[in-house]
Amino acid sequence: MLFHVKMDVAIPLDLDPDLRAETLAREKAYSQDLQRQGKWPHIWRVVGQYSNISVFDVESTDELHELLWNLPLFPYMTIEVTPLCPHPSAV
């Protein structure tokens, strides 16, 4: 199942700098692992925003929920999920 996922990040400005750095490092490692597994095949920055647009390729909505819930930055995100299906005019 493919999903379009928009993630807007809003890390509190007063977050401890060491906690911020550690959280960002865990986020990068976790997301890159999911990319290597093929579960997160596409990720793009949104110009001028602390946001990304991603495509996830997972077995179920439950799996997507678990993957997103386990993102280290999850507590600081607003996430929009859109299920995708093949378009009949696609070549």
Side-chain angles (χ1 to χ4, degrees):
M1 299 178 76
L2 296 177
F3 294 90
H4 168 277
V5 179
K6 183 171 190 264
M7 296 178 234
D8 298 316
V9 183
I11 299 173
L13 297 175
D14 61 350
L15 188 67
D16 176 83
D18 291 335
L19 178 57
R20 178 187 174 99
E22 186 267 335
T23 302
L24 291 172
R26 286 188 303 118
E27 179 82 11
K28 184 174 184 176
Y30 180 69
S31 68
Q32 288 181 343
D33 181 52
L34 293 175
Q35 291 172 65
R36 287 185 190 98
Q37 292 178 48
K39 294 181 182 295
W40 195 337
H42 300 283
I43 182 170
W44 295 274
R45 284 182 175 171
V46 177
V47 175
Q49 300 176 26
Y50 196 170
S51 298
N52 74 69
I53 299 290
S54 297
V55 173
F56 282 80
D57 187 357
V58 294
E59 295 296 318
S60 67
T61 54
D62 289 334
E63 181 182 14
L64 179 63
H65 180 78
E66 280 300 310
L67 295 179
L68 296 175
W69 186 263
N70 286 298
L71 287 166
L73 286 175
F74 182 83
Y76 312 115
M77 290 182 172
T78 299
I79 299 174
E80 295 177 27
V81 176
T82 305
L84 301 173
C85 63
H87 195 284
S89 296
V91 178

